[in-house]
Amino acid sequence: MLQSLNARAVLVSLVLLVVSLGLWQLSHKPPEVDTEMTEYERLMGGADQEARVPPPSQVIALAVEELSNPFYDAGPNDKGIGIQLGYSIFRVLTGFGLAALVAIPLGFLIGMSPLMYKALNPFIQVLKPISPLAWMPLALFIIKDSETSSIFVIFICSIWPMLINTAFGVAGVRKDWVNVARTHELTPMNTAFQVILPAAAPTILTGMRISIGIAWLVIVAAEMLVGGTGIGYYVWNEWNNLDLTSVIFSILMIGLVGMLLDMALASATRLVQYQE
């Protein structure tokens, strides 16, 4: 039954994709010209020169060309899509990893200690709503390095979902499980690793899944601001070149990589789920 449902879902998705691309392709046609074109307009291609969203056939052709050699490097402003994505993924994973090193232990502390929860909650509630990009000017001023500043922005936006979900997961562990651990005279450290961590792992990974999605959103915007390298810079650079085909292609690549990052953590979440 499940396989049949999955097969039908794939079929519906393919039909929607084909219909959408077909409508997009059919909607792409030069506008009608009511007045006679001048000689200059005819030389320049006339109505064909009007800026329009490129058809999917052009985007697919560009995708084939770019993906056939994704790691070429022809200078500072001409790098392959693979290199640009590599820079962005490196920044995201670095900031995300640093955030996990801070958020998960601190979340354990908050979840296990009502005192620390009440003491730290005001700081969390003040800092959590701040837009990550609002930290960028301060980071650039203090750190004075765009690469490190971008990683810091990823760190600051990734830490809150992981911290809150970890604290929630730890605090929600059934008390009788903790009492059994005390009965067996487990040390607090053993209780944390052998009882609380396995029970809270699904919730922690859910927070990490939310964080990686936010981090991928933020790095694109951050790279548009600081420039240099990365998929965000690639989008902005192609926009400045008025190359809408490359802009659409890069948007699709951003979505694809974001989906793969989410799927990786979703798979990890399924691995730690358990049945009572």
Side-chain angles (χ1 to χ4, degrees), residues 20-22 24-26 28 54-61:
S20 300
L21 292 178
W24 180 6
Q25 183 71 37
L26 291 174
H28 183 273
S57 56
Q58 290 184 16
V59 178
I60 293 172

Side-chain angles (χ1 to χ4, degrees), residues 30-68:
E32 296 181 359
V33 181
D34 297 331
T35 59
E36 184 178 354
M37 291 185 294
T38 64
E39 182 178 357
Y40 175 77
E41 289 174 332
R42 287 194 294 270
L43 289 172
M44 296 301 296
D48 286 336
Q49 295 301 311
E50 181 177 319
R52 299 188 306 278
V53 176
S57 56
Q58 290 184 16
V59 178
I60 293 172
L62 176 66
V64 172
E65 178 184 350
E66 289 282 346
L67 296 176
S68 63

Side-chain angles (χ1 to χ4, degrees), residues 16-266:
L16 291 174
L17 176 63
V18 171
V19 171
S20 300
L21 292 178
L23 292 175
W24 180 6
Q25 183 71 37
L26 291 174
S27 66
H28 183 273
K29 59 181 181 179
E32 296 181 359
V33 181
D34 297 331
T35 59
E36 184 178 354
M37 291 185 294
T38 64
E39 182 178 357
Y40 175 77
E41 289 174 332
R42 287 194 294 270
L43 289 172
M44 296 301 296
D48 286 336
Q49 295 301 311
E50 181 177 319
R52 299 188 306 278
V53 176
S57 56
Q58 290 184 16
V59 178
I60 293 172
L62 176 66
V64 172
E65 178 184 350
E66 289 282 346
L67 296 176
S68 63
N69 185 20
F71 298 105
Y72 76 88
D73 189 349
N77 294 322
D78 190 9
K79 300 180 187 295
I81 190 70
I83 293 177
Q84 303 288 15
L85 287 171
Y87 277 108
S88 298
I89 293 172
F90 169 76
R91 291 166 184 150
V92 165
L93 294 181
T94 303
F96 178 81
L98 292 173
L101 290 176
V102 174
I104 294 176
L106 188 58
F108 260 82
L109 179 62
I110 294 172
M112 297 178 68
S113 171
L115 172 63
M116 295 306 298
Y117 170 79
K118 290 184 177 294
L120 295 177
N121 187 56
F123 297 97
I124 295 172
Q125 296 307 319
V126 169
L127 296 174
K128 177 169 65 73
I130 299 174
S131 169
L133 294 181
W135 293 97
M136 181 61 79
L138 185 61
L140 287 170
F141 177 78
I142 295 175
I143 300 173
K144 295 179 173 59
D145 179 76
S146 60
E147 177 81 14
T148 309
S149 297
S150 299
I151 293 173
F152 170 78
V153 169
I154 297 303
F155 167 84
I156 205 69
C157 79
S158 300
I159 194 170
W160 308 118
M162 280 191 281
L163 176 63
I164 293 170
N165 274 49
T166 301
F168 177 78
V170 170
V173 174
R174 289 170 53 174
K175 299 302 179 184
D176 52 349
W177 293 352
V178 178
N179 292 334
V180 169
R182 290 173 179 169
T183 302
H184 288 278
E185 298 182 351
L186 292 180
T187 64
M189 188 65 67
N190 287 336
T191 301
F193 279 98
Q194 297 180 20
V195 179
I196 297 176
L197 179 59
T203 307
I204 294 172
L205 279 168
T206 299
M208 296 176 71
R209 187 177 174 184
I210 296 170
S211 290
I212 199 70
I214 295 174
W216 187 243
L217 286 172
V218 169
I219 194 60
V220 174
E223 289 170 346
M224 286 183 178
L225 292 177
V226 300
T229 54
I231 190 63
Y233 169 73
Y234 179 90
V235 173
W236 194 247
N237 189 50
E238 296 303 328
W239 163 247
N240 289 331
N241 294 333
L242 299 179
D243 188 349
L244 287 179
T245 306
S246 295
V247 170
I248 295 174
F249 166 68
S250 57
I251 289 172
L252 294 176
M253 294 303 298
I254 290 169
L256 179 62
V257 172
M259 181 186 70
L260 293 175
L261 291 173
D262 182 77
M263 288 174 60
L265 282 172

